[in-house]
Amino acid sequence: MEKTENLLDKIVSLCKRRGFIYPSAEIYGGFAGFWDYGPYGFALKNNIKQLWWKMFVADREDMYGIDAAQITKHDVLQASGHVGGFSDPLADGSRFNTMFRTSAGAGEDAQTAYLRPETAQGIFTNFKNIVDSFHPELPFGIAQIGKAFRNEISPRDFIFRAREFEQMEVEYFVKPNEWMLAFEFWQKKMHEWISAVGIDATKAHELEVPDSERAHYSKRTIDFEFDFPFGRKELYGLAYRTDFDLSNHAKASRVELSYLDEETKTKITPHVIEPSLGVDRTVLAVLCSAYFEDELGGEKRVVLKLKPAIAPIKVAVFPLLKNKPELVKKAREIFTDLKIAIGAVVFDDNGNIGKRYRRQDEIGTPFCITVDFDSLENGDATVRDRDSGKQERVAIPDLATRIQKDS
Ligand code: GAP
């Protein structure tokens, strides 16, 4: 089981060849900082988002999910500090605001707007809506998964630094004196997530971000870094945003953004802990963790050892031989049943069995089922495990349960 040199090049090439991720506008020479997800990459990304939503939102009672607009009113980003401060230095010493600016409406009605640089602001501007509609008690969180846009001066390292990317964010509202407890809670949860999604935990590290390098809104930040092939770089951030955003939006909008503490009958502005996770960086860290070149049964192979829960395809079904109609018929029956039970299932009868295994290993399919002549006699089929190559015979009616047990 070897990790390889030029790991990033190999991953980029696999992603393109096997339909995970393509350079955007490739037929026009590409478009720096933009990437298109193909069928397997899209499935992998969706599975990652679903797992995150389950762990951070759906399994909990104190979370509210939203999906806010991506184009954001100027006033919002003015109040949040992004219009004035969301900039990177250029080579000549001037600063460049990395928000994409656009305008909404025509003619005299046109107003400046921005593609959101973080999903967080859509959460803060909906704080009052959630409080009014759901009357949650502190602490509670509002969560969102969605696109964010930054006109990065030098996009690089594949999907690591892109100009259009996706974030999974929680703004967790707490009583001001309870921020440390919540910070520690989410810190632990992020470690739990790293293991659950299949990122190599031995390559993930925490970095306490010093005062001088923290974002304008943060009083404490921990960066979760990962040993990418191009160095140790930020994977996620966990920030204590204090009441910076709610207070600034309240001031600028002149709408009260407070919370009535039932115990003390006083109004408070909640403080915020923010776990912020990039989807695309998760995809890249997962791929870096899962990519192996090894030997199985004397044959070299490339394998993605993805957690079954996020694998784009859960199971592939093969007839042992393509030219035996009875095998093909049985295999197609199994495929159809599994498609209903499991969904992400493919049928493959191209080339020999060895080649089919290699193709599935390369995209991280945890199980392959082969239908052979014994299957017709005994009503069972071979289930082959991606990582060990081990095969077991399973009765056809039990196949779905067998696969789901480990997915
Ligand atoms: N709301 C807080 C926030 O946006 P950030 O550290 O600027 O904080 C959070 O971004 C996460 O978003 C990062 O840890 C990273 O995972 C992801 N991210 C940021 N910029 C990115 C980029 N240019 N390309 C891909 N992912 C990015």
Side-chain angles (χ1 to χ4, degrees), residues 374-387:
D374 288 344
S375 304
L376 304 177
E377 299 256 312
N378 306 334
D380 59 9
T382 304
V383 177
R384 180 255 197 192
D385 175 84
R386 175 196 66 201
D387 298 348

Side-chain angles (χ1 to χ4, degrees), residues 86 117-120 150 152 159-167 169 171 217 223-224 234-237 241 274 276-282:
F86 200 67
E118 57 171 1
T119 68
R150 297 181 190 177
E152 299 283 358
I159 52 173
F160 175 81
R161 189 177 306 286
R163 289 177 168 149
E164 174 175 342
F165 55 97
E166 236 172 327
Q167 293 184 318
E169 297 199 302
E171 307 303 323
Y217 49 72
D223 277 354
F224 286 74
E234 178 187 336
L235 174 64
Y236 305 137
R241 290 181 84 127
E274 177 197 64
S276 177
L277 295 84
V279 178
D280 313 79
R281 283 189 194 176
T282 307

Side-chain angles (χ1 to χ4, degrees), residues 33-71:
F34 297 92
W35 299 91
D36 296 341
Y37 283 77
Y40 292 147
F42 168 66
L44 174 65
K45 190 157 88 140
N46 269 345
N47 294 341
I48 287 172
K49 290 193 281 185
Q50 266 175 32
L51 184 65
W52 183 88
W53 195 262
K54 179 170 161 41
M55 277 180 69
F56 282 71
V57 187
D59 281 353
R60 305 174 56 85
E61 285 186 62
D62 57 353
M63 299 296 292
Y64 299 83
I66 65 163
D67 183 21
Q70 300 183 8
I71 293 187

